Amino acid sequence: MDLHHYIGDDLALDSTGDLLLAEDTIEGQQRVLRRLLTATKGYLWHQAYGAGVPGIVGQNYDEAAIRGVIRAQIFNEAVVSRSPDPVITVTQITNGASVRIQYQDAITRKPVSLNFNVTQ
C-alpha cells in the first residue's frame, strides 16, 4: 500500500495519528494523478515516468495532444483497465484545462472518475 497522498497536498493522518494508507481505488487514483502531473523525466532514476501534462497545457492549447498524452500514460498504471476503453474529456478553462478521466479499476472492476484542473 501507498501513503494516502494526493500530489500537491499534505500527508493525511488516520484516527490514531498514524500516517493514513491508501488502498484500492484511492491508491489507483493517486498513482494515475501523480503520473500525469509529474514532469517528463521528472524523476532522476525513472526517466520514463511522468506525462508532464502541466507542461503541455502551458503551450498552445491542443486538446487532442493533451488527451493523447493522458491516454498513453494512464495505461502504464496497472490499476487502469483497457476494457472498457477509458473516456478522457479535456475542456479549456481560463489559463489551462479541466480534465475528467473515467476508467474501470482493473482490480476492483468498479468505475472510477478522476477530475482535476491544470493551469499555467
Side-chain angles (χ1 to χ4, degrees):
M1 279 190 276
D2 290 341
L3 291 174
H4 189 284
H5 178 253
Y6 280 99
I7 190 166
D9 286 343
D10 290 332
L11 292 171
L13 301 178
D14 66 15
S15 61
T16 66
D18 289 333
L19 289 173
L20 185 63
L21 299 176
E23 327 179 44
D24 303 324
T25 301
I26 299 296
E27 181 179 20
Q29 286 177 312
Q30 290 178 172
R31 286 178 177 223
V32 169
L33 190 58
R34 189 175 306 119
R35 176 177 293 277
L36 295 177
L37 297 180
T38 297
T40 306
K41 298 182 180 182
Y43 285 142
L44 182 61
W45 291 278
H46 299 283
Q47 293 290 300
Y49 184 87
V53 171
I56 298 167
V57 170
Q59 301 170 11
N60 290 335
Y61 183 81
D62 184 346
E63 181 180 322
I66 297 167
R67 202 172 42 253
V69 167
I70 290 171
R71 178 171 298 287
Q73 286 288 322
I74 63 174
F75 290 125
N76 288 321
E77 293 297 337
V79 72
V80 178
S81 178
R82 290 184 175 267
S83 180
D85 195 39
V87 176
I88 302 166
T89 306
V90 178
T91 307
Q92 188 170 14
I93 60 174
T94 303
N95 295 325
S98 180
V99 177
R100 180 176 184 185
I101 306 168
Q102 295 171 289
Y103 64 92
Q104 180 171 295
D105 188 301
I107 299 161
T108 66
R109 310 303 295 169
K110 294 180 181 176
V112 177
S113 183
L114 182 61
N115 304 292
F116 60 95
N117 292 337
V118 182
T119 57
Q120 298 177 5

